[in-house]
Every structure is written in C-alpha cells, then in structure tokens.
Amino acid sequence: MAKLSPWVRRAGDRPVLPEDTEADPDYRFTLANERTFLAWMRTALGLLAGAVALVHVAGNNHATTTQRTLAVVLACLGILVCVTSIRRWQAVQAAMRRGEDLPRSHQPVLLGVAVGLVGAAVVILLLHAGGKL
C-alpha cells in the first residue's frame, strides 16, 4: 500500500493536516510568502529613504522643524512596517505548516491610511507655506 502524504487533500478544498501535525508546505507557497515579505521590506526602505531625503534636500543643519517632523514620522512608519512584516511572514509560514487559514492582516490598510495622512500633511503644509516647507 502506498504511503499517504501528511497533507490530506479534498477536491476544491485547502490542504488539511491531521490534528497537532506540521508539515512543510509546497515550496511555491513558501517562496510566495518570502516575496511578499521582501516587498514589505522594499516599502520600509522607501519610507526610510523618504525620511532621509526630507532632511537631506534642505541640508542637515537647515532642515525646518516641519521637515524633521515629517522625516521622523516616515522613519517610524518604515521601522513599524519592517517589524510587522517580519511577524506577518512568521505567522503566515506557521499557518501554512499547520494547514490553517492564513491570518488576517490590517497592515495594508493601516499603511495606506498612514501614508495618505503624511501626504495630506505635506500638501497642506506646501499650500500654507507658499511652496516652502
């Protein structure tokens, strides 16, 4: 008799593991999870680059309080994205190993709102300051 895989498959259903069992998921899912993680890392790097650019464009000693504040907000957002994406990658990998549904994430919505708020603040400050931050 052929040895059965620990993954029990049913037509049109996700893989189901016997209780308290972990197995390596299909490598394609693991690699897709890793690509998603790397995309979040690129986003974090972009936020950090924006923070550096805000201060660097004006010159480190001549940056206004507004520029420094926006730079700090962007840097903190970049750090937050970095930390939460590591935790997300681990949670998704663990769920795949257990054959569970993937955990929900509010990260995309929160990041979108945060970047939108920073963008709105920049627009308001540009209009208010006559084009000079």
Side-chain angles (χ1 to χ4, degrees):
M1 183 177 227
K3 182 179 176 186
L4 294 175
S5 167
W7 292 92
V8 178
R9 297 188 184 272
R10 292 181 285 183
D13 214 353
R14 66 177 171 77
V16 177
L17 285 174
E19 218 167 295
D20 295 333
T21 305
E22 287 191 6
D24 288 332
D26 187 318
Y27 69 90
R28 293 173 291 187
F29 299 122
T30 298
L31 293 174
N33 188 30
E34 185 176 321
R35 283 190 301 274
T36 302
F37 168 74
L38 293 173
W40 282 110
M41 288 294 105
R42 285 190 301 274
T43 301
L45 285 171
L47 290 166
L48 292 171
V52 170
L54 269 172
V55 176
H56 182 71
V57 167
N60 221 5
N61 296 329
H62 304 310
T64 65
T65 303
T66 304
Q67 286 171 313
R68 289 183 190 276
T69 301
L70 286 172
V72 167
V73 169
L74 286 174
C76 289
L77 194 54
I79 292 166
L80 184 65
V81 167
C82 184
V83 170
T84 57
S85 63
I86 291 168
R87 295 186 67 195
R88 172 74 180 163
W89 173 75
Q90 291 172 334
V92 167
Q93 199 64 27
M96 288 191 304
R97 286 183 179 279
R98 293 188 301 265
E100 297 173 353
D101 290 334
L102 298 182
R104 291 181 182 245
S105 174
H106 300 293
Q107 191 174 354
V109 172
L110 294 176
L111 179 63
V113 168
V115 170
L117 290 174
V118 170
V122 169
V123 168
I124 289 169
L125 291 170
L126 283 172
L127 292 173
H128 185 266
K132 289 188 175 186
L133 283 178

